[in-house]
Amino acid sequence: MSDLAPKTDDRVHRYNLRVYFEDTDAGGMAYHARYLHWAERARTESLRDIGLPHQFMIERHNAMLVVRRIEVEYWRPARLDDPVVVETAILRVTGAQILLSQTVRAAAGGEDGAPGERLAGLKVGLVCVGQRSLKPVPLPEPWRSVLRDLVVPAAAG
């Protein structure tokens, strides 16, 4: 395997953020599209945290990951100034595709460190495409191997 191995044994990446005024509607609730922005940032940071930023894939392989499909279910709104966390888990990695589960939660506030309440859930299908052709291409190494090693067990996904 590459020397660019994951920095953590935890297979679920967590990205912390706060709901700002710019994220909210007139009622002080996070606008539904902001969850997509937060999920995108969390995916970018998860790649960066394992030492394989998206930019390296573009520079070294002329390939990039693009969203092919996304499903969102909303359970409860985040509100102005709420601390939230986006959890990203890899469910499946195939030749050119990655399936992710992302959960937006209220940040844990209790002493037990238990996860906060679910606010939204996303199922995200990514596909690796050539930068110029925009046609599917196999995930380059070491992304393919490292991401496969981070797939969560079926029971946890």
Side-chain angles (χ1 to χ4, degrees):
M1 181 179 300
S2 162
D3 59 340
L4 298 173
K7 298 176 183 175
T8 177
D9 290 334
D10 189 356
R11 293 175 188 225
V12 177
H13 181 268
R14 290 170 182 82
Y15 175 70
N16 295 296
L17 60 106
R18 182 171 302 278
V19 179
Y20 291 106
F21 187 76
E22 68 184 12
D23 299 320
T24 63
D25 61 17
M29 294 182 285
Y31 182 64
H32 72 276
R34 295 308 292 176
Y35 292 82
L36 299 176
H37 290 256
W38 299 337
E40 177 70 30
R41 288 186 185 162
R43 291 192 303 273
T44 298
E45 292 303 323
S46 69
L47 288 172
R48 191 180 319 275
D49 284 352
I50 61 172
L52 294 170
H54 202 186
Q55 187 62 29
F56 285 0
M57 186 186 294
I58 295 168
E59 291 170 356
R60 297 176 185 175
H61 301 281
N62 293 314
M64 57 189 174
L65 296 172
V66 296
V67 173
R68 181 173 182 264
R69 177 182 174 92
I70 193 161
E71 297 175 33
V72 185
E73 185 172 357
Y74 300 95
W75 293 294
R76 188 182 79 70
R79 297 181 183 275
L80 180 62
D81 283 334
D82 284 354
V84 299
V85 61
V86 181
E87 299 173 340
T88 302
I90 301 169
L91 302 179
R92 185 173 60 241
V93 177
T94 60
Q97 298 185 56
I98 303 167
L99 178 62
L100 303 173
S101 171
Q102 293 188 280
T103 304
V104 180
R105 294 182 179 277
E111 293 178 17
D112 61 359
E117 182 180 7
R118 289 184 312 168
L119 306 177
L122 298 86
K123 293 286 187 237
V124 183
L126 303 175
V127 65
C128 186
V129 299
Q131 185 177 8
R132 289 178 192 88
S133 70
L134 298 180
K135 293 182 180 178
V137 298
L139 278 163
E141 289 295 346
W143 284 265
R144 181 182 317 142
S145 296
V146 171
L147 294 173
R148 280 187 177 154
D149 287 346
L150 292 172
V151 170
V152 295

